Amino acid sequence: MGPAPAGEQLRGATGEPEVMEPALEGTGKEGKKASSRKRTLAEPPAKGLLQPVKLSRAELYKEPTNEELNRLRETEILFHSSLLRLQVEELLKEVRLSEKKKDRIDAFLREVNQRVVRVPSVPETELTDQAWLPAGVRVPLHQVPYAVKGCFRFLPPAQVTVVGSYLLGTCIRPDINVDVALTMPREILQDKDGLNQRYFRKRALYLAHLAHHLAQDPLFGSVCFSYTNGCHLKPSLLLRPRGKDERLVTVRLHPCPPPDFFRPCRLLPTKNNVRSAWYRGQSPAGDGSPEPPTPRYNTWVLQDTVLESHLQLLSTILSSAQGLKDGVALLKVWLRQRELDKGQGGFTGFLVSMLVVFLVSTRKIHTTMSGYQVLRSVLQFLATTDLTVNGISLCLSSDPSLPALADFHQAFSVVFLDSSGHLNLCADVTASTYHQVQHEARLSMMLLDSRADDGFHLLLMTPKPMIRAFDHVLHLRPLSRLQAACHRLKLWPELQDNGGDYVSAALGPLTTLLEQGLGARLNLLAHSRPPVPEWDISQDPPKHKDSGTLTLGLLLRPEGLTSVLELGPEADQPEAAKFRQFWGSRSELRRFQDGAIREAVVWEAASMSQKRLIPHQVVTHLLALHADIPETCVHYVGGPLDALIQGLKETSSTGEEALVAAVRCYDDLSRLLWGLEGLPLTVSAVQGAHPVLRYTEVFPPTPVRPAFSFYETLRERSSLLPRLDKPCPAYVEPMTVVCHLEGSGQWPQDAEAVQRVRAAFQLRLAELLTQQHGLQCRATATHTDVLKDGFVFRIRVAYQREPQILKEVQSPEGMISLRDTAASLRLERDTRQLPLLTSALHGLQQQHPAFSGVARLAKRWVRAQLLGEGFADESLDLVAAALFLHPEPFTPPSSPQVGFLRFLFLVSTFDWKNNPLFVNLNNELTVEEQVEIRSGFLAARAQLPVMVIVTPQDRKNSVWTQDGPSAQILQQLVVLAAEALPMLEKQLMDPRGPGDIRMGPSENVALL
Amino acid sequence: MVARRRKCAARDPEDRIPSPLGYAAIPIKFSEKQQASHYLYVRAHGVRQGTKSTWPQKRTLFVLNVPPYCTESVELQEKPDLAESPKESRSKFFHPKPVPGFQVAYVVFQKPSGVSAALALKGPLLVSTESHPVKSGIHKWISDYADSVPDPEALRVEVDTFMEAYDQKIAEEEAKAKEEEGVPDEEGWVKVTRRGRRPVLPRTEAASLRVLERERRKRSRKELLNFYAWQHRESKMEHLAQLRKKFEEDKQRIELLRAQRKFRPY
């Protein structure tokens, strides 16, 4: 579709608002057709629209007060900008608990305290004899193996203490948890309770009895069990108030041993506390070898002993400084947006609080710092250190009896010791989780350093769910397969340590395996953390396989992604055997061009889309080979959307190859044009100006060779005419190419004459191309069509000064001034801006191979919603480009799928009214320029289109959205995107087959 | 809109065809086969006193709602316009046809009686008849396509003649300008042009702006910055005012975001 004449546009645009608000228009001005957008935007007086600030001179230049100066200085020193300060304050207000609610929670806590200490005691029985437990309650623990020697009796807790973030004032809404430690009386415990889960059995029974009694109390709305941090040996009891406060607060009861009951030296990471003889009913394999250490089991026991001391440490440091508390709250929001704090082995708020304490103790953070500075310092620390290699410790004493850091590194992947020097706070954190935290911190630091205007928003307000953050995602299901995997990987000691939790035991080795296999294709591998279940006290605790699905996210590295070859060592090297063992039957000996004979793995992939899915082949092969997980249990979500941009005939390629073929043909043509002899002026530049030439045409053109029997010939014009009785000929889209000629003073300076001269050039071009290269051409006054290799190129000769000639207006005094006219703007757009944009996006495609797929999916979707008419092709391409140039807080997408999801997210959340979308092609706009453009945008908002896209070449006018969309169409798109995004994400995250993803116009409202 | 009106017409009895006030409706059909008809709305062309119109009064018939398939023999326009249609015949190569759609027509009769006869027409008129068939469907597309293939020779000839005329015009102008150069007019003024012995700046806006800019820069180079105490004070005040302005802007943005509940993190 060519640009429609201006009159048509205006009529189309004015139509609706006039119908909608006749009362407002009514009088007079109907003759004024000045853009209706202006009216739709300006009419409702500034509702939700930013206005340029107007301050009177007196207000601006009045004498400053001391207070004002102080605040300004503080802002300058402690925050980045006044905007950031205000934003941070606003956010904290939102997540903080109000005093009123605090009072209600305090009252509830007092009630809980009273009730807990009044629970009646029971006489002593054998641990295995649980007949005394009432019928309505089940022990919240898998008692495997069941037989444990020892006795249990219930006595009310010796002490009830509130621990955790509630007292510190760093807990954040919406889910407020108050942790309460119940110190079990010493009489309940016996010597050697730390051994063979006896302590945990007693702890569970203690809770079961407590639960039974509290459940009968009308004070509580719900009483249920959960696991402490997902550790399934350590249940906790959740209490929620009855009535309208039910959602306000959750009180978690954690039984813990009396102080100094366990001797820390028994719980070192090198010690064994779960005997093989007891756990497996046999002595350890290979008699005489020592018992395997149980570091995680030991940690779980230790964690219960230090609840109070940690609280004391935290409160001494944090309570004095509001900035530190703010910082911790911000960090918690940061973690939560990235889904890092939830589930088993998450990087919890407690961990970051301890990290803040560590940084205070090492003087990296000062207590006078603001919340923002604390956030920044912690992120900086996370981004630049590696706790998997160099652990850190809060312990200051240099007691030689303390265990060495190296011991902890041996046992755990991430090491951060607490002040006692015995407990690793990061014991449950897997290496993958930690790397993900590091990666996020690095990205965030980059974002903060880039001084982006909406840094706050991207950092703290934008959620990063796994499906939108990672290029490919795979689901392992059912989880029970992992049990077999543990046996295949010989993980018995780990199972013993984890108390039979095969998911946690297998997670580490599996991620290491995949990381090794994916090698250069991978930037980051992350895994979902099993969610922490809650269950009713009358039910058995959920089994390990009940935690649903294990989801792995792959962040791919585009450079290594598409290589089909995995190069191994030379055949005679000792590593060759290892390589063969790792890749199994896929490894073969190959002879390479340089004469080397090497082990290598070759994957089958013909097209770009298949190459992008090589990780799928790698993952299924490795999981089947090493972990006994069959292909049916691996649900790989990487390319379900590819089908939507596949042509009808080919199913293996998503069109990248066809686009490359067209572009190559265009390159040939431009070479021919450059070398053309006999033109009065030589060709100085050839530029593409068509979506194909920037790789964003949804369905790339296929070369057409007409069958002559289907046509009659128009002999005198050497053309073919379709025949009535034959099928309709294929449509061939001409690809526009703009051809600039060298400068010359000979051009006439009159618009009409320039047109004629251009026409003469078009004729000459056709003649020469036919003569010198035998190409079929057809010249018209404005362009020359060339048939080359089955593609049709439409060459338009352009004269650089023509737009200027069209702009010239002579005033009565003879002064020549330049005024934009519709014709000059159109010409400028078609011959200057469009080629520039096309070459810039062509360059972008070379940097980010996924760009083509994302842009095409996006356009396909918009058109399937029947909204394509409202959007210029270029505007959608630019929105897609923005996803690659400004990916924050993500990384640039490496697969069309994730790019498309982010397109939907961007479209549905972007505030088009108050912000221009910056597409900083080639990074030409500086930060200062962006600020300037933004203020210019606010001042001229009413004159600008509803959707404003700013590029370095187009800083003010938003050329590509001038002709649409209208406010209504844009709104429709936003609504549809907001609907489609959760639906699509749900489908992609559901491992039971990716459902049906359709994009046809018929079902456009129903689905995508 | 057309469809809606047609429906109305079908419901009403034949004699009362709804039409805009002051217009007579003439039903037309594409061919015999069609049941429903399309309506042309006609009235005698008349303008308010004092407005000039190039169309002859009394003899002109003004027709609304001309369907896109009526193309022959009358001058068609996209919008009503008082001026006579293009003075010179335009080149078909350089001024492609306007976008098709419903149009208006001015029909000039030789005698005023023709207008009243047309107003009294009952119809339905047929557009496509045996003797003058109007092409439709694939036939039309093929013929349109055949028409769209230009004849390069004709184009070349047109370009050449135009350029010849243009060159001639330019040469004449130049000769005239040369003749006048340096010759004072009756008041004694001499016109200075770019082509003279001592060329001057072109009289364009850009050029004059450039001169002004150069002047300004020259002046600002001479000024001293933050030299006097009052200058210092003022620049400080200016900085403070900037900060205040920024602060106000930020506050407004925050207010807006708060209203949109943008601070609810999840």
Side-chain angles (χ1 to χ4, degrees), chain A residues 687-690 694 738 740 796 798 800 803 807 820-842 874-875 878 921 949-962:
Chain A
Q687 297 171 314
H690 190 268
R694 50 178 187 261
V738 176
H740 288 280
R796 294 186 58 171
Q800 285 95 328
K807 274 186 201 173
D820 286 341
T821 61
S824 78
L825 285 177
R826 189 157 61 233
L827 191 70
E828 203 159 351
R829 190 178 71 187
D830 291 348
T831 59
R832 203 179 66 78
Q833 286 157 330
L834 189 55
L836 274 180
L837 175 74
T838 305
S839 69
L841 293 185
H842 180 282
E874 294 76 17
S875 63
L878 279 172
L921 293 164
I949 300 177
V950 173
T951 65
Q953 286 81 34
D954 175 21
R955 303 186 178 201
K956 269 189 255 155
N957 297 327
S958 189
V959 175
W960 309 112
T961 55
Q962 284 288 351

Side-chain angles (χ1 to χ4, degrees), chain A residues 763-827:
Chain A
L763 284 169
R764 188 84 184 124
L765 210 58
E767 224 168 77
L768 291 175
L769 280 173
T770 313
Q771 270 175 20
Q772 294 177 12
H773 302 291
L775 296 175
Q776 231 178 5
C777 301
R778 177 193 294 165
T780 69
T782 52
H783 57 257
T784 305
D785 285 345
V786 181
L787 177 70
K788 187 173 186 309
D789 307 335
F791 296 110
V792 175
F793 293 95
R794 177 160 287 180
I795 304 175
R796 294 186 58 171
V797 171
Y799 170 45
Q800 285 95 328
R801 261 181 61 79
E802 193 176 353
Q804 206 177 345
I805 292 174
L806 286 173
K807 274 186 201 173
E808 279 179 3
V809 181
Q810 194 158 21
S811 67
E813 298 93 57
M815 169 78 93
I816 293 171
S817 48
L818 301 178
R819 293 281 172 273
D820 286 341
T821 61
S824 78
L825 285 177
R826 189 157 61 233
L827 191 70

